[in-house]
Amino acid sequence: MSRTVLAALTAAACLGTSAFAQGILTAETAAPNTTPGISIISLSEAAAKAGIADIQVSAGQTLTNSVQNVAEGKSDIAAAPFILPFLMSRGVGPYAGLGAEAGGDLAKNLAVLYTYRISVQGLYAYDSAGISGWDGLEGKTIYNGPPRGAALTNARLLIKTVTGLEEGSGYSGVQVNWGQAVKTIQDGSADAFVLPQAFPDSRVTAALASGNMTVFSMPKDKFDSEAFGKVTNLPGTVAFTMPVADMGYGENVTVVSEDDTFRGPGTVGGDIVNVDMDFDTAKALTAAFIESIETIYHAKSSFMPSAWHGETDIALTDMCGNNPMKYHPGAVAAWEDAGYTLPDCAK
């Protein structure tokens, strides 16, 4: 698939409808085979079917940059892990160059259409690498994400929480853009990988051509620890569990867990817009999403039905609390028209 997808050329091309899109919007997202990538590509299809807009989707982007582009009005829509607007609002991490004042002002420009679970951060390695688990990472080389972004921030934090190790002193980190991810996993550049995953994960299954793999759950004591509780207090991070039997892997992938339950930090985010997007457009896009959850979004990949599209419970959306994001007023209207109840703190 092309890194830049001109989605929804005409609404007539989708299910034979005779309605035509009414405008052009731009959107940025991650790789097209990931949850945020599929989500925005699905939105483009839903928007075309509803005659709302043609959405030009640039996939394979670093979402740190995409979030800033929406805040600055350079792009209309972006996929966003909720940790990024939080960091922007404080002018820290990848937004340290903005400073607190400018970052805070930019973060106020962002609003949510709908949310979903982007991924679950976790550890995996080729069986041939001899990695015993989280306790075997000291001194190893770990591929932990792109050079700049939420995935890298989350991976470093997770490794420190579970092992106490810091990049540089406890292990060596390798950062490579998502477009080179599978190649980097396969070419021996790293001993192990701490990366976002879906279940089953497309990067894992693609890399199996080079050998069998083992996926390691967070140890239960670390998952239940006070330190991990502090991690899940960060916007866009929730405690995630799933039965190993439901993860969707075949015999070439072994999942290591103490009790047949996979545990890890779930990364939550959503598709976001600038607050200046007009009410009717935001409402129409959100309504098109709601109407297309099962017919378009869930149909795109085996992992999409479990990605929490359509959820409004703050335990799953991670809205409110420390999260500076709120739903766009047009999105609020669409959700409520569809019979959903949104928490007041998220409006």
Side-chain angles (χ1 to χ4, degrees):
M1 183 180 293
S2 170
R3 288 170 61 87
T4 300
V5 181
L6 178 56
L9 293 177
T10 65
C14 299
L15 301 188
T17 178
S18 60
F20 288 90
Q22 298 172 358
I24 297 175
L25 298 173
T26 57
E28 299 182 30
T29 190
N33 59 346
T34 63
T35 302
I38 294 173
S39 183
I40 282 194
I41 290 169
S42 297
L43 179 63
S44 71
E45 184 174 336
K49 284 177 60 179
I52 301 163
D54 290 340
I55 302 180
Q56 297 177 350
V57 181
S58 295
Q61 303 302 303
T62 299
L63 298 183
T64 304
N65 301 329
S66 300
V67 169
Q68 185 168 341
N69 286 341
V70 171
E72 294 175 343
K74 297 176 181 176
S75 191
D76 296 306
I77 308 167
F82 286 154
I83 187 64
L84 292 180
F86 172 76
L87 296 175
M88 177 184 283
S89 70
R90 285 157 172 75
V92 298
Y95 302 108
L98 293 173
E101 183 176 357
D105 288 342
L106 279 178
K108 292 175 183 177
N109 294 338
L110 300 172
V112 179
L113 297 180
Y114 53 86
T115 69
Y116 47 88
R117 191 188 75 245
I118 292 175
S119 62
V120 179
Q121 203 86 13
L123 166 66
Y124 56 96
Y126 282 111
D127 294 353
S128 58
I131 298 295
S132 58
W134 290 95
D135 59 355
L137 296 184
E138 186 170 8
K140 301 297 185 181
T141 299
I142 302 171
Y143 172 30
N144 52 4
R148 182 173 181 260
L152 178 61
T153 300
N154 290 340
R156 287 170 171 165
L157 179 59
L158 178 59
I159 294 169
K160 184 176 180 180
T161 301
V162 177
T163 69
L165 300 174
E166 301 257 11
E167 182 173 331
S169 57
Y171 65 94
S172 299
V174 172
Q175 287 88 48
V176 179
N177 287 326
W178 291 129
Q180 298 298 312
V182 174
K183 177 181 180 296
T184 302
I185 292 169
Q186 292 179 305
D187 69 11
S189 298
D191 303 304
F193 321 103
V194 177
L195 298 171
Q197 300 173 64
F199 302 117
D201 187 73
S202 59
R203 282 188 286 264
V204 171
T205 54
L208 288 174
S210 297
N212 292 352
M213 285 190 169
T214 297
V215 177
F216 299 91
S217 172
M218 274 187 73
K220 189 175 186 301
D221 63 330
K222 299 295 185 181
F223 187 82
D224 293 334
S225 69
E226 181 180 351
F228 186 62
K230 292 179 180 178
V231 172
T232 59
N233 282 335
L234 293 171
T237 303
V238 299
F240 173 86
T241 63
M242 173 179 275
V244 169
D246 293 343
M247 292 173 68
Y249 288 119
E251 61 183 11
N252 294 328
V253 176
T254 301
V255 181
V256 173
S257 167
E258 296 123 301
D259 58 0
D260 296 322
T261 297
F262 180 86
R263 296 175 173 85
T267 299
V268 178
D271 289 343
I272 66 168
V273 297
N274 193 288
V275 293
D276 287 339
M277 175 175 280
D278 71 86
F279 179 94
D280 289 341
T281 300
K283 182 178 180 180
L285 289 172
T286 307
F289 157 74
I290 294 169
E291 293 169 4
S292 304
I293 292 172
E294 293 187 6
T295 57
I296 297 179
Y297 286 74
H298 288 180
K300 292 291 186 186
S301 173
S302 59
F303 57 76
M304 289 294 282
S306 64
W308 300 348
H309 286 87
E311 297 289 350
T312 58
D313 184 341
I314 58 175
L316 302 180
T317 66
D318 215 29
M319 298 289 284
C320 303
N322 292 323
N323 187 350
M325 299 287 286
K326 297 186 183 299
Y327 291 99
H328 190 287
V332 172
W335 282 108
E336 294 181 342
D337 284 356
Y340 291 81
T341 298
L342 299 180
D344 289 339
C345 57
K347 298 181 185 179

